[in-house]
Amino acid sequence: MIWYEEITIESMSLPKTSHTIAQGWDLHCHSVYSDGTATPEQMVQTAASLGLDGIALADHDTSAGWADAVRAARSNHMPLIRGTEITADMDGVCVHMLGLLYDPENESVQQLFATTRQHRIERMQQMVRNLAVDFPITWQDVLDMVREGEQTTIGRPHIADALVAKGLFPNRSAVFRNTVNRASKYYVPIISPDARQVVQVIGQAGGVSIIAHPGAIGRNARLLSDEQIAQLAHLGLDGLEVHHRDNNAEQQQRLTSIAHHLDLLITGGSDWHGTGKPNHMGEHVTDEQTVQEIIRRGAIGVIK
Ligand SMILES: [Zn+2]
Ligand SMILES: [Zn+2]
């Protein structure tokens, strides 16, 4: 029986002594190597101050932040799972896939990331060209928002930051509401690898694949159907991120039942982005038993 304990943390700035210790692992966090605002070291320190049992770094389409995170995990004695959130597509449905503990040297993985990152850059440049018709923004302005240079996976939040830096909008959320959302005339769709391929590539690299926030209605016009999830399970999918703020109660119930039916792992994560999103680290977590199974399946070890 997989158990789960939901913990809500009102503010990550509260001192740890006044706070419930979060039991479990937060398996979904972003850093400055994609669209988070904190360094991997700050991520690890935040996890330690919250008393989490462990943390996973899962930047978009890259493993570039892993080395920093490993150093920080060792010096702070905070257990770390290395991972990546991979954007994919399944018959027109946008799918985010958490790939955990895969071998980063695997050729198929490296090829997958190289292609995705190239597509992402072309897409971002086109969006900036579209925006430049109405706003004083250049590609260099966006690059100026990027903390780790070429190693950073550039996304819409970086465009948002550039518009905020110019004083055109008060914050990222306002930019998303007004200019860079899917319905906006400036928007350029993402070209993503097929989710079936991503599951197979992670599997070939010895990793564990989990569909991130599969019930996130707000992000998608359509969600993956039960049949599509079953298809991915047959290709080697390991689990579903059931506990995530973007899956509503009804979706969590649906996903839990699918997971039991298909014998998939159930995970939880906050999707923390530092100050880039309102999500609080540890607001959703994964239980120890599930984490141990993920570690058992993974190609590379947990960092302690
Ligand atoms: Zn996601
Ligand atoms: Zn995420």
Side-chain angles (χ1 to χ4, degrees):
M1 173 75 191
I2 293 166
W3 58 271
Y4 168 73
E5 193 176 346
E6 184 176 334
I7 290 114
T8 303
I9 290 165
E10 272 105 47
S11 166
M12 51 182 233
S13 59
L14 285 175
K16 58 185 166 184
T17 45
S18 73
H19 222 58
T20 317
I21 300 292
Q23 297 293 309
W25 292 57
D26 188 338
L27 291 188
H28 188 160
C29 293
H30 296 268
S31 80
V32 291
Y33 283 91
S34 61
D35 52 356
T37 59
T39 62
E41 181 169 24
Q42 289 165 334
M43 175 195 80
V44 165
Q45 286 166 348
T46 305
S49 73
L50 290 171
L52 284 171
D53 292 331
I55 190 88
L57 177 66
D59 275 314
H60 294 286
D61 303 306
T62 184
S63 58
W66 285 13
D68 281 5
V70 167
R71 271 191 296 277
R74 290 205 172 111
S75 58
N76 288 277
H77 308 290
M78 172 51 58
L80 169 77
I81 283 182
R82 289 163 284 175
T84 300
E85 183 171 24
I86 301 162
T87 302
D89 171 272
M90 190 166 184
D91 309 324
V93 180
C94 179
V95 183
H96 286 187
M97 194 76 69
L98 295 169
L100 306 175
L101 299 176
Y102 63 83
D103 170 13
E105 304 296 327
N106 178 277
E107 220 168 279
S108 309
V109 164
Q110 293 201 344
Q111 189 57 50
L112 184 77
F113 288 174
T115 308
T116 302
R117 290 164 65 78
Q118 188 53 40
H119 284 152
R120 272 180 172 270
I121 287 175
E122 287 164 14
R123 171 205 189 207
M124 286 298 117
Q125 288 174 331
Q126 186 55 52
M127 272 184 79
V128 170
R129 281 194 290 272
N130 295 351
L131 283 159
V133 174
D134 295 322
F135 298 96
I137 184 172
T138 65
W139 180 239
Q140 188 56 48
D141 294 332
V142 176
L143 292 181
D144 289 346
M145 298 297 120
V146 170
R147 291 272 296 273
E148 295 295 334
E150 290 199 345
Q151 295 210 71
T152 303
T153 302
I154 300 176
R156 285 181 288 164
H158 297 105
I159 294 182
D161 289 347
L163 292 167
V164 172
K166 285 181 173 283
L168 297 162
F169 293 91
N171 51 47
R172 270 189 188 181
S173 303
V175 183
F176 268 82
R177 270 197 306 281
N178 291 290
T179 62
V180 298
N181 64 69
R182 250 186 304 138
S184 141
K185 64 174 177 175
Y186 310 109
Y187 182 79
V188 178
I190 197 162
I191 303 170
S192 307
D194 192 283
R196 302 167 188 89
Q197 183 203 351
V198 172
V199 167
Q200 287 171 316
V201 167
I202 296 171
Q204 283 159 17
V208 176
S209 57
I210 290 154
I211 304 175
H213 45 72
I217 293 165
R219 293 166 178 264
N220 273 308
R222 233 158 19 96
L223 296 178
L224 287 179
S225 66
D226 296 12
E227 292 71 29
Q228 283 174 309
I229 294 173
Q231 210 185 340
L232 294 176
H234 292 307
L235 291 170
L237 177 74
D238 290 282
L240 301 177
E241 186 185 45
V242 173
H243 304 295
H244 183 289
R245 65 158 62 200
D246 293 351
N247 300 328
N248 64 26
E250 191 187 321
Q251 283 298 325
Q252 293 202 16
Q253 217 170 20
R254 168 189 169 235
L255 296 166
T256 301
S257 122
I258 295 172
H260 288 153
H261 187 67
L262 297 172
D263 198 21
L264 294 171
L265 301 172
I266 289 178
T267 72
S270 66
D271 216 346
W272 186 73
H273 282 69
T275 56
K277 279 192 181 183
N279 309 33
H280 300 299
M281 187 185 286
E283 68 179 20
H284 289 289
V285 291
T286 305
D287 65 76
E288 185 65 32
Q289 192 190 331
T290 305
V291 169
Q292 288 310 320
E293 180 58 21
I294 289 169
I295 293 168
R296 194 190 65 75
R297 292 185 194 184
I300 57 173
V302 62
I303 304 293
K304 287 185 200 158

